[in-house]
Amino acid sequence: MSKQVENSPSKRCRLGEDEGAGWQDAGMRRTLAWLSAFFLVLVAIEAVLLWRASSRIDVQAELAKGLMPLCAAVLVTVLITYALNQRNFERTREAEKTRILTGALQDLKAGFEHASVARYLISAHPTGKRMEEQVETIIKARATLQRMQRERFVLHEDIEDQVDMMLHYLAELVGEYRSNYGRIVTSMAREEALLSEIRQGNEGDLSEAHLIRGGDFPLLAAYLDDDQWSDSAFWHNYDAVKAVLRKRIRELDAAKAT
């Protein structure tokens, strides 16, 4: 279901790319068509003049000879124009690709940063109240990664599947929060009661309101554990996608410098 939703924007991105390339191709075809037509007219005039020229030196023969360099010049112009237009098209496309991949890399880092910040704040005090405050940040991380995944030059590539695994990791975490919302509310109430006791000068252990005490949140517990986090699918796929994007950007920069 989610795969179908993510593929619908991809078609629009690819259509936008094809439309932009089509405009440039159309302009190049028009230029080449005019030059080719002019070249054919000159060749036709040259052929008529040579056919009508007599064996003696006359004006038509001289004109025909004079048109030969012009025909050659037009032919060379056609070839040079085509080569320059093709090179300009490739450079424009490479610049656009660099811009999009750079933006995708920034979104990837932002998504990872949102997930890391939420993890850091929840781990300091893993109560229902803190989880409810930070689940919005986790959802924001997922939205940022989805936007990055839908960029052209990222779509239908090997890294799209890796970003999918990162999205799946966050989706399961949010799903656990939703399916255990009753436990979230209970934790919030317990924390408030403990805080009230502490304000009155009585003893209270806020860890009693922690979500990971009862084992109802195994995904959250793994998310907050340092070792499991650094060995998670989210972490490994982040490193892999980041490396691929950086490599492609370097390759485009190197091609631009040559």
Side-chain angles (χ1 to χ4, degrees), residues 22 34 52 58 69 100 124 155 182-184 224 236 240 249:
W34 280 106
R52 297 187 59 185
D58 55 22
I100 290 174
L155 285 163
R183 178 75 175 83
I184 298 287
L224 300 181
H236 287 305
I249 292 171

Short mmCIF file of all heavy atoms in Angstrom, two decimals, residues 22 34 52 58 69 100 124 155 182-184 224 236 240 249:
data_model
loop_
_atom_site.label_atom_id
_atom_site.label_comp_id
_atom_site.label_asym_id
_atom_site.label_seq_id
_atom_site.Cartn_x
_atom_site.Cartn_y
_atom_site.Cartn_z
N GLY A 22 12.80 17.17 -23.05
CA GLY A 22 12.12 17.30 -24.35
C GLY A 22 12.22 18.69 -24.92
O GLY A 22 12.40 18.88 -26.13
N TRP A 34 17.01 23.75 -39.46
CA TRP A 34 17.23 24.95 -40.30
C TRP A 34 18.59 24.89 -40.99
O TRP A 34 18.68 25.19 -42.20
CB TRP A 34 17.16 26.21 -39.43
CG TRP A 34 15.74 26.64 -39.14
CD1 TRP A 34 15.06 26.53 -37.98
CD2 TRP A 34 14.85 27.25 -40.08
NE1 TRP A 34 13.78 27.02 -38.11
CE2 TRP A 34 13.62 27.48 -39.39
CE3 TRP A 34 14.94 27.63 -41.42
CZ2 TRP A 34 12.52 28.06 -40.00
CZ3 TRP A 34 13.84 28.22 -42.03
CH2 TRP A 34 12.64 28.43 -41.32
N ARG A 52 24.58 23.09 -65.50
CA ARG A 52 24.35 24.02 -66.59
C ARG A 52 25.63 24.68 -67.08
O ARG A 52 25.63 25.36 -68.11
CB ARG A 52 23.37 25.10 -66.15
CG ARG A 52 21.97 24.53 -65.80
CD ARG A 52 20.98 25.64 -65.52
NE ARG A 52 20.85 26.52 -66.68
CZ ARG A 52 20.10 27.64 -66.68
NH1 ARG A 52 19.46 28.01 -65.57
NH2 ARG A 52 20.02 28.38 -67.77
N ASP A 58 32.76 30.12 -67.37
CA ASP A 58 31.69 31.11 -67.44
C ASP A 58 31.26 31.48 -66.02
O ASP A 58 31.78 30.97 -65.02
CB ASP A 58 30.50 30.60 -68.25
CG ASP A 58 29.98 29.28 -67.73
OD1 ASP A 58 30.23 28.98 -66.54
OD2 ASP A 58 29.34 28.55 -68.48
N PRO A 69 33.03 26.14 -51.00
CA PRO A 69 33.49 26.42 -49.62
C PRO A 69 32.33 26.77 -48.69
O PRO A 69 32.36 26.42 -47.50
CB PRO A 69 34.44 27.61 -49.80
CG PRO A 69 34.85 27.57 -51.23
CD PRO A 69 33.67 27.04 -51.97
N ILE A 100 20.12 18.05 -7.12
CA ILE A 100 19.10 17.17 -6.53
C ILE A 100 19.74 16.17 -5.57
O ILE A 100 19.22 15.92 -4.47
CB ILE A 100 18.32 16.45 -7.64
CG1 ILE A 100 17.43 17.45 -8.38
CG2 ILE A 100 17.48 15.31 -7.08
CD1 ILE A 100 16.73 16.89 -9.59
N ALA A 124 16.63 9.86 27.99
CA ALA A 124 16.89 10.55 29.25
C ALA A 124 15.75 10.39 30.24
O ALA A 124 15.96 10.38 31.47
CB ALA A 124 17.14 12.03 28.99
N LEU A 155 14.91 7.89 -7.16
CA LEU A 155 13.83 6.95 -7.47
C LEU A 155 14.34 5.78 -8.32
O LEU A 155 15.16 5.97 -9.22
CB LEU A 155 12.72 7.68 -8.23
CG LEU A 155 11.83 8.61 -7.39
CD1 LEU A 155 11.10 9.55 -8.32
CD2 LEU A 155 10.88 7.82 -6.56
N GLY A 182 -2.82 3.22 25.41
CA GLY A 182 -3.36 3.13 26.76
C GLY A 182 -2.26 3.10 27.80
O GLY A 182 -2.37 3.72 28.87
N ARG A 183 -1.19 2.37 27.48
CA ARG A 183 -0.02 2.31 28.39
C ARG A 183 0.67 3.67 28.45
O ARG A 183 1.21 4.05 29.50
CB ARG A 183 0.95 1.24 27.88
CG ARG A 183 2.22 1.10 28.67
CD ARG A 183 1.97 0.38 29.98
NE ARG A 183 3.24 0.15 30.67
CZ ARG A 183 3.86 1.04 31.45
NH1 ARG A 183 3.32 2.23 31.65
NH2 ARG A 183 5.00 0.74 32.04
N ILE A 184 0.65 4.42 27.37
CA ILE A 184 1.22 5.76 27.35
C ILE A 184 0.46 6.66 28.33
O ILE A 184 1.05 7.39 29.14
CB ILE A 184 1.15 6.37 25.93
CG1 ILE A 184 1.97 5.55 24.94
CG2 ILE A 184 1.62 7.83 25.94
CD1 ILE A 184 3.45 5.67 25.06
N LEU A 224 16.24 2.78 22.17
CA LEU A 224 16.94 3.56 23.18
C LEU A 224 18.27 2.93 23.59
O LEU A 224 19.13 3.62 24.14
CB LEU A 224 16.05 3.73 24.42
CG LEU A 224 14.71 4.44 24.18
CD1 LEU A 224 13.93 4.56 25.48
CD2 LEU A 224 14.92 5.81 23.56
N HIS A 236 22.48 1.23 9.76
CA HIS A 236 23.30 0.65 8.69
C HIS A 236 22.86 1.17 7.32
O HIS A 236 23.71 1.47 6.46
CB HIS A 236 23.22 -0.87 8.73
CG HIS A 236 23.97 -1.47 9.87
ND1 HIS A 236 25.31 -1.23 10.11
CD2 HIS A 236 23.58 -2.33 10.86
CE1 HIS A 236 25.72 -1.89 11.17
NE2 HIS A 236 24.68 -2.57 11.66
N ALA A 240 24.91 3.42 4.48
CA ALA A 240 25.05 2.94 3.11
C ALA A 240 24.54 3.97 2.10
O ALA A 240 25.21 4.25 1.09
CB ALA A 240 24.29 1.63 2.94
N ILE A 249 27.95 12.32 -5.98
CA ILE A 249 28.20 13.76 -6.05
C ILE A 249 29.66 14.02 -6.40
O ILE A 249 29.97 14.89 -7.21
CB ILE A 249 27.82 14.42 -4.72
CG1 ILE A 249 26.31 14.37 -4.51
CG2 ILE A 249 28.29 15.88 -4.68
CD1 ILE A 249 25.84 14.81 -3.14
#
